[in-house]
């Protein structure tokens, strides 16, 4: 079912109510909205079919009964084909029907090695069935979905970065509310594509909002739709003249020659580090274009090894997205980068040898998303300029950074997410909290000299903040939670305190956080009790305490009444029982802009369900 008109469903329902007593109706859909409209019981989300069941189904449809035993080689190839289907019965049936009753190994290998959109499709096969999901999308979502074809199969999408790609191309539209932030519109798009089963393996991840993947077959669908506009480039590729978006897998003269023939490119994503000559070709080729709106808007140079960027990068007047993440050789950015007044996203995380940001970077007035690693002792000059548009700021792995902000009074009033991580010399944020009225997510990680008390001298009476998520980890100088948190008493939903070894007590005002639904306290051994009045936290649904032996003992004994109303409680004295993410995962996540990857796998799963 695809129709979302409830009135039509009610008209149909009237005709069905006269069936035999005990009759049941099962409705299948790929759209959660349809399930909600039609369902009289909670929707049941079908999982993947097990490999052995997929193979059994395939054998039944690809062979005449009992004949499979005569073709062991075909069975082996068939097993490989079934693995590509990844548990989708419709895909298994489609490919099995293509092979029945063929016994030529070459034909079977062709199906195994071919991409599914190259195969002949009949009505009811997998791509036509998936295309129904695409056809039902609003026009603007169709463009956003097709854009995902630029990324490789099994790619782990981070929703906030994908939204930045879409934003760079002007794909985000809000017909209902002209004042709605583009980031909010993008999140609505993400949720809509999720609800239609076009994204999978979804979990919430704090600052990236959501992390997810596309099923291989859905990815195939995106490629088949975007063909002609989006292209993955290799040495053997043949590019259409009208191609607009490129994902470059290989370098070399063959690739450079292909790029020189193009004149409408808007996106270049280098999947591997690239040479300076290829970069210069891109910049010089796409600098001046005659076709309206066909200017380079996205340039992804992550994991490259440039020592310098060419000054000519400043000529890309329409560039909105620039990614230099994990370029550990670059020492300086050219001053010409400050001429990119349309730039919305600048990613410099993991640039461990970057000496400082250019002074004129404050003149990039459209900047909304910034992630930085620098060797300098301060982030910016005192005169910070015009960062009124900034929504996301991540400062990570800055070993020498001592002071984060100076002269920021009245600035950053639209900042929604602030991440400060692995800055061991940082002693002060030097920021007036009262100006951060739009801040919704704050993460402070592994800053050994930071106590968060430097803002306590302000007049915090009647302070109105809108913080929703707070994550604190590895602050040995933190002894008490700052008073200014009370300014978010009506908005704070998630609070995680991890590895604060000298935190002595939770504040008496903690029970005033009336919107708090998730509280996690990990590795804070000096905590011994919960404050009085915890019963007032009526919204609290999950409580996790690990590595706090005295606090856990008291919660189990005399303080148990304080948390008796919480539906899900986990008290674990042994904090080392859960598996942690790999060092590489943590490193890469920090450079992109961090998330709560300091949490163990169990915490992340727990948060995803909230």
């Amino acid at each position: 079912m695809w129709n979302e008109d409830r009135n039509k469903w009610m008209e149909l329902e009237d005709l069905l109510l006269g069936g035999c007593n005990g009759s049941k109706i099962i409705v299948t859909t790929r759209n959660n909205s349809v399930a909600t409209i039609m369902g009289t019981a909670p929707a049941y989300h079908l999982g993947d079919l097990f490999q052995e069941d997929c193979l059994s189904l395939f054998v039944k449809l690809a062979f005449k009964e009992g004949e499979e035993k005569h073709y062991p080689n075909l069975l082996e190839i068939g097993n490989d084909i079934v693995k590509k289907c990844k548990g989708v019965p419709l895909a298994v049936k489609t490919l099995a029907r293509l092979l029945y009753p063929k016994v030529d190994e070459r034909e079977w290998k062709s199906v195994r090695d071919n991409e599914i959109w190259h195969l002949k499709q009949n009505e009811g096969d997998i791509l036509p069935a998936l295309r129904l999901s695409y056809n039902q999308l609003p026009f603007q979502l169709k463009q956003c979905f097709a854009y995902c074809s630029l990324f490789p199969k099994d790619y782990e999408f981070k929703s906030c970065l994908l939204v930045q790609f879409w934003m760079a191309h002007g794909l985000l539209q809000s017909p209902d509310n002209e004042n709605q932030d583009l980031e909010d519109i993008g999140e609505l798009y993400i949720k809509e594509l999720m609800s239609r089963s076009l994204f999978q393996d979804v979990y919430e991840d704090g600052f990236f909002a959501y992390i997810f993947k596309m099923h291989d077959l859905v990815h195939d669908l995106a490629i088949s739709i975007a063909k002609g506009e989006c292209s993955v480039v290799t040495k053997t590729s043949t590019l259409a003249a009208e191609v607009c978006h490129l994902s470059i897998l290989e370098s070399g003269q063959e690739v450079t020659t292909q790029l020189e023939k193009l004149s409408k490119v808007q996106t270049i994503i280098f999947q591997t580090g690239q040479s300076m000559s290829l970069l210069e070709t891109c910049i010089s080729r796409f600098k001046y274009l005659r076709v309206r709106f066909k200017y380079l808007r996205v340039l992804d140079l992550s994991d490259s090894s440039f020592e310098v960027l060419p000054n000519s990068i400043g000529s890309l007047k329409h560039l909105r997205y620039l990614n230099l993440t994990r370029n550990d050789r670059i020492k300086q950015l050219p001053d010409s980068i400050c001429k990119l007044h349309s730039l919305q996203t600048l990613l410099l995380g993991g640039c461990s040898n970057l000496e400082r940001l250019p002074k004129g970077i404050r003149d990039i007035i459209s900047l909304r998303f910034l992630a930085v690693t620098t060797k300098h002792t301060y982030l910016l000059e005192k005169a910070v300029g015009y960062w009124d548009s900034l929504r996301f700021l991540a400062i990570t792995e800055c070993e020498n950074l001592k002071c984060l902000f100076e002269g920021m009074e009245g600035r950053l009033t639209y900042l929604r997410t602030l991440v400060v991580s692995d800055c061991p010399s940082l002693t002060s944020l030097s920021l007036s909290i009262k100006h951060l009225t739009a801040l919704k997510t704050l993460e402070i990680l592994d800053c050994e000299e930071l106590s968060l008390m430097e803002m306590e001298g302000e007049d915090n009476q009647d302070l109105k903040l809108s913080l929703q998520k707070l994550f604190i980890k590895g602050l040995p100088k933190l002894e008490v939670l700052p008073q200014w948190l009370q300014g978010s008493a009506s908005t704070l939903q998630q609070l995680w305190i991890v590895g604060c070894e000298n935190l002595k007590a939770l504040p008496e005002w903690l029970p005033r956080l009336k919107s708090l639904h998730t509280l996690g306290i990990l590795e804070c051994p000096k905590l011994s009790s919960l404050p009085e009045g915890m019963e007032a936290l009526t919204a609290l649904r999950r409580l996790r305490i690990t590595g706090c032996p005295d606090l856990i003992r008291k919660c189990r004994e005399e303080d148990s009444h304080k948390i008796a109303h919480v539906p899900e409680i986990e008290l674990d004295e042994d904090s080392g029982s859960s598996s942690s993410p790999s060092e590489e995962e943590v490193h890469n996540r920090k450079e992109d802009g961090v998330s709560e990857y300091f949490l163990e796998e169990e915490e992340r799963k727990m948060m995803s369900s909230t």
Side-chain angles (χ1 to χ4, degrees), residues 138-144 162-163 165-190 192 293 297 320 344 368:
F139 174 73
Q140 63 271 21
L141 280 182
K142 289 181 178 179
Q143 293 178 294
C144 293
L162 183 57
V163 166
F165 278 108
W166 293 342
M167 191 187 304
H169 294 291
L171 300 180
L172 304 177
Q173 303 172 18
S174 176
D176 300 326
N177 185 354
E178 294 181 1
N179 296 320
Q180 194 172 12
D181 260 7
L182 292 175
E183 289 79 4
D184 290 332
I185 299 169
E187 184 170 342
L188 291 175
Y189 282 20
I190 294 286
E192 183 67 17
F293 300 130
R297 297 189 174 194
R320 298 182 180 179
Q344 297 172 335
R368 303 176 73 97

Side-chain angles (χ1 to χ4, degrees), residues 393 403-412 415 418 428-436 439 442 454-455 458 484:
L393 178 60
C403 182
L404 189 57
F405 301 112
E406 283 193 23
M408 296 295 283
E409 297 299 324
R411 298 296 181 184
L412 303 179
L415 190 69
L418 175 61
S428 171
L429 298 181
S430 301
L431 186 64
S432 177
I433 192 69
K434 65 183 178 183
H435 295 300
L436 298 180
L439 192 68
L442 175 62
E454 70 273 9
M455 294 176 282
E458 302 179 7
W484 49 261

Side-chain angles (χ1 to χ4, degrees), residues 224-242:
S224 69
I225 289 163
K227 199 171 184 180
E229 286 201 7
C230 301
S231 183
V232 177
V233 184
T234 65
K235 292 179 180 179
T236 58
S237 299
T238 301
L239 299 179
E242 66 272 14

